[in-house]
Amino acid sequence: MTPVLRARSLTRSYDGRPVLSGLDLDVDPGHRLGVVGENGIGKSTLLRLLAGVEDPDSGSVERPAALQLLAQEPTFRPADTVADVMAAALADVRAVERVLEDASAALADDRPGAADAYAEALLRAELAGVWDADRRAELALVGLGLGDVEPTRPTARLSGGERSRLALAALLVRSPAAVLLDEPTNHLDDAAAEYLAGALRELPGAVVLTSHDRVFLDETCTGILDLDPSLDGPTRYGGTFTDYLAARRAERQRWEERWRAERDELARLRHAVRVTARQVGYGRALGNEFKMAYDAKGARVEQQVSRRVRDARRRLDELTRDQVPRPPAPLRFAVPDGWSSADGVVLRVRDAVVPGRLEVPSFDLLAGAQVLVSGPNGAGKSTLLHLLAGDLVAAHGSVQRAGGAEVALLEQDVGLADDVRTPRALFDAVTADVPAPVRLVDLGLVAPRDVDRPLRELSVGQRRRVVLALLVARTPAVLLLDEPTNHVSVRLADELVDALEVSPGAVVVATHDRWLRRRWTGERLHVADGRVLQ
């Protein structure tokens, strides 16, 4: 099978910083490749290079003429209506339909060659799906949550999420030979994301997409390209996202085993060189008595030992130079301390009311409990977390915290966009009163290359990780997380879920993350219409 998309030795840098280096890629018809990796690793750059929106510094791309790139922020002409956008998406189908009509008329007039022309036009019409084009367009709009939007509404009056969904619907109707999607589920609810996954599985062409939605990746992709650093660089995996996770865990185990084996060998070689040299007097002048007893046999022994020492030193130099780097530390939460409660309750809420926003009849959070808060947008999930954190004060009722229990909240918007401090400086300041705090780089949240960069130069996701590191390092008794997997890579999101499952402190998580919700084994709390339901 000939690949629809082919890239060879793609290299791209920005301001001297390499983003992609020597990347090869083949995507066959009917295959759907998910691209994952840390923010800033080059996922969106790869899509732009494949689409021809940007040119690589070196390398080449072979692409079909019928290729569609859906960026994270699609644009339309201000005067375009929803109907105009869908009509443009159906333009190629309408052209095929007109050719078929002309061929049918020629056949009716019995013109020369009309039968062959009609057969060809009929085949093209069948391949283009002429007869169900309108139905497909309607299904796409309904499936993506736009069924109730008036066709005459200008796109300028649509929300950002509605514009993104409209662009998706138009793309699906066109059914191009190659589709490139950058975070297509950002503005989709569960039902719309499931519809899109099914629609992409039915496309005959090649699909390359980036997404932080792990359920969507699992339901859609036939392969995963991981751009994150590894022993062998960017790696392609066959199978679903679940298969990819299993392969990554096995690779990490092999990486850790190899690192430990090399570390042990380094220690053995250093000991051998040091002790052996001391035993044979390597490198020291011989004394007079030893010279008198030194015969030919002794000289041979000395030569053999010296050769072993040289071999050990040569191997030590090679291993020191080429040693595999230590695997990145996985995220872990430390044990909280400094608080006490007779009944083990860390937070107790009774009849708390935030007027017009939230009512909490009763809620007890026990030490070590894990609670998932679910509910639609605007239901009051974030309000509940701010109430528990003490940022909001109830107009009625009470919120009580155990004595000495520190409560920390990771908000959706952490700010710091204009902060000139570095993550290391901020971390040191916030943890100054923490006895023997863990090192920032050991938390597995901030890459070593970013710890001394100004916060304002970091992405939204990178700044959220810095704030999460600050919270984790203080070992709070209660950790409140508002959409913790937003703006993080799928690898870190997976590590975060693993860390939450074994967290020794109490955790309350509000999230729309379908993967996290499906894996959750702790308690659940639902918020609907501004009221907490047990």
Side-chain angles (χ1 to χ4, degrees):
M1 184 179 294
T2 302
V4 177
L5 274 172
R6 171 172 287 171
R8 289 292 178 269
S9 303
L10 283 186
T11 299
R12 186 72 170 100
S13 299
Y14 296 101
D15 299 324
R17 182 177 67 88
V19 177
L20 297 174
S21 179
L23 183 68
D24 294 334
L25 185 67
D26 289 311
V27 189
D28 295 331
H31 285 246
R32 298 169 297 279
L33 181 67
V35 183
V36 300
E38 292 286 348
N39 294 330
I41 201 70
K43 302 186 296 296
S44 296
T45 297
L46 175 59
L47 295 188
R48 292 193 296 269
L49 295 178
L50 292 176
V53 175
E54 288 187 21
D55 294 324
D57 297 333
S58 61
S60 62
V61 177
E62 297 176 21
R63 64 181 70 87
L67 179 145
Q68 290 277 309
L69 167 66
L70 185 69
Q72 294 189 36
E73 297 295 336
T75 58
F76 302 105
R77 293 178 301 182
D80 283 346
T81 65
V82 172
D84 292 336
V85 172
M86 297 309 291
L90 290 169
D92 290 343
V93 175
R94 299 302 186 211
V96 172
E97 186 177 15
R98 288 193 294 272
V99 170
L100 178 63
E101 291 172 351
D102 292 343
S104 179
L107 184 64
D109 294 341
D110 199 22
R111 298 174 193 169
D116 290 340
Y118 178 78
E120 182 180 349
L122 182 61
L123 177 60
R124 289 183 59 197
E126 290 173 347
L127 293 174
V130 164
W131 294 279
D132 71 341
D134 291 323
R135 183 185 67 85
R136 287 188 287 112
E138 182 179 355
L139 287 176
L141 290 172
V142 172
L144 294 172
L146 297 173
D148 295 332
V149 177
E150 304 89 344
T152 56
R153 183 185 297 183
T155 56
R157 289 176 48 204
L158 298 177
S159 68
E162 288 172 331
R163 287 195 294 272
S164 293
R165 284 179 276 152
L166 179 59
L168 267 175
L171 180 146
L172 293 174
V173 168
R174 285 190 174 95
S175 187
V179 174
L180 308 176
L181 303 173
D182 199 356
E183 296 292 347
T185 64
N186 271 0
H187 300 283
L188 304 184
D189 59 17
D190 290 2
E194 290 173 3
Y195 169 81
L196 178 60
L200 292 177
R201 289 195 299 267
E202 294 177 1
L203 287 181
V207 178
V208 181
L209 61 93
T210 72
S211 180
H212 286 81
D213 186 334
R214 291 162 290 167
V215 171
F216 180 73
L217 290 170
D218 206 39
E219 293 176 344
T220 306
C221 296
T222 58
I224 300 292
L225 174 64
D226 190 346
L227 297 181
D228 275 342
S230 67
L231 288 179
D232 302 315
T235 308
R236 182 165 179 169
Y237 301 83
T240 65
F241 182 74
T242 297
D243 297 328
Y244 155 76
L245 287 180
R248 276 283 305 212
R249 289 192 174 108
E251 284 182 1
R252 181 181 176 87
Q253 183 176 353
R254 290 193 294 270
W255 187 351
E256 290 177 345
E257 290 172 351
R258 179 177 167 186
W259 178 77
R260 284 194 296 267
E262 290 188 358
R263 183 189 60 181
D264 292 343
E265 186 177 1
L266 280 170
R268 182 182 59 78
L269 288 169
R270 291 188 183 107
H271 177 78
V273 169
R274 184 175 62 252
V275 173
T276 303
R278 188 164 57 242
Q279 288 174 342
V280 302
Y282 182 82
R284 295 199 304 265
L286 299 177
N288 290 332
E289 292 184 8
F290 194 78
K291 287 179 179 178
M292 293 174 61
Y294 195 72
D295 57 12
K297 182 177 180 181
R300 287 196 300 273
V301 171
E302 178 73 13
Q303 290 172 356
Q304 292 172 358
V305 173
S306 297
R307 184 171 61 252
R308 288 200 298 270
V309 172
R310 287 195 303 271
D311 290 344
R313 282 185 167 170
R314 182 168 56 252
R315 172 59 181 156
L316 178 60
D317 291 341
E318 293 173 353
L319 193 55
T320 301
R321 183 182 64 248
D322 301 327
Q323 183 186 15
V324 62
R326 183 173 186 170
L331 175 61
R332 290 293 180 266
F333 296 137
V335 178
D337 56 16
W339 71 277
S340 61
S341 171
D343 55 3
V345 176
V346 195
L347 283 171
R348 177 178 284 114
V349 185
R350 292 292 183 271
D351 299 317
V353 177
V354 180
R357 297 172 64 180
L358 185 67
E359 296 179 11
V360 188
S362 177
F363 174 59
D364 289 342
L365 181 65
L366 299 177
Q370 298 178 339
V371 181
L372 178 73
V373 182
S374 62
N377 287 332
K381 300 187 300 297
S382 295
T383 300
L384 173 62
L385 296 190
H386 282 280
L387 180 67
L388 298 178
D391 297 339
L392 283 177
V393 178
H396 308 287
S398 63
V399 179
Q400 298 175 328
R401 298 169 186 82
E406 183 171 345
V407 180
L409 168 64
L410 176 69
E411 302 179 66
Q412 291 195 46
D413 183 6
V414 299
L416 305 177
D418 298 320
D419 202 314
V420 298
R421 291 174 296 179
T422 66
R424 190 196 303 274
L426 180 60
F427 186 84
D428 290 344
V430 172
T431 60
D433 61 337
V434 177
V438 65
R439 294 194 314 159
L440 175 58
V441 293
D442 290 338
L443 286 172
L445 284 165
V446 182
R449 66 177 181 274
D450 295 327
V451 295
D452 292 314
R453 292 175 60 193
L455 287 159
R456 65 184 181 185
E457 294 182 5
L458 303 182
S459 68
V460 174
Q462 288 168 326
R463 291 196 295 271
R464 283 199 96 208
R465 289 183 223 174
V466 173
V467 173
L468 181 56
L470 300 177
L471 302 182
V472 170
R474 294 196 61 84
T475 63
V478 181
L479 187 58
L480 309 172
L481 303 174
D482 198 355
E483 298 293 351
T485 58
N486 279 5
H487 306 294
V488 302
S489 71
V490 293
R491 180 190 62 79
L492 182 57
D494 197 52
E495 286 186 5
L496 178 59
V497 175
D498 289 342
L500 289 175
E501 289 179 347
V502 297
S503 171
V507 177
V508 182
V509 179
T511 184
H512 286 93
D513 187 326
R514 293 186 293 163
W515 188 270
L516 195 159
R517 281 154 43 204
R518 291 184 183 186
R519 285 187 54 181
W520 193 261
T521 58
E523 302 173 37
R524 293 175 182 263
L525 202 65
H526 190 70
V527 182
D529 299 323
R531 186 176 178 84
V532 173
L533 308 175
Q534 294 285 1

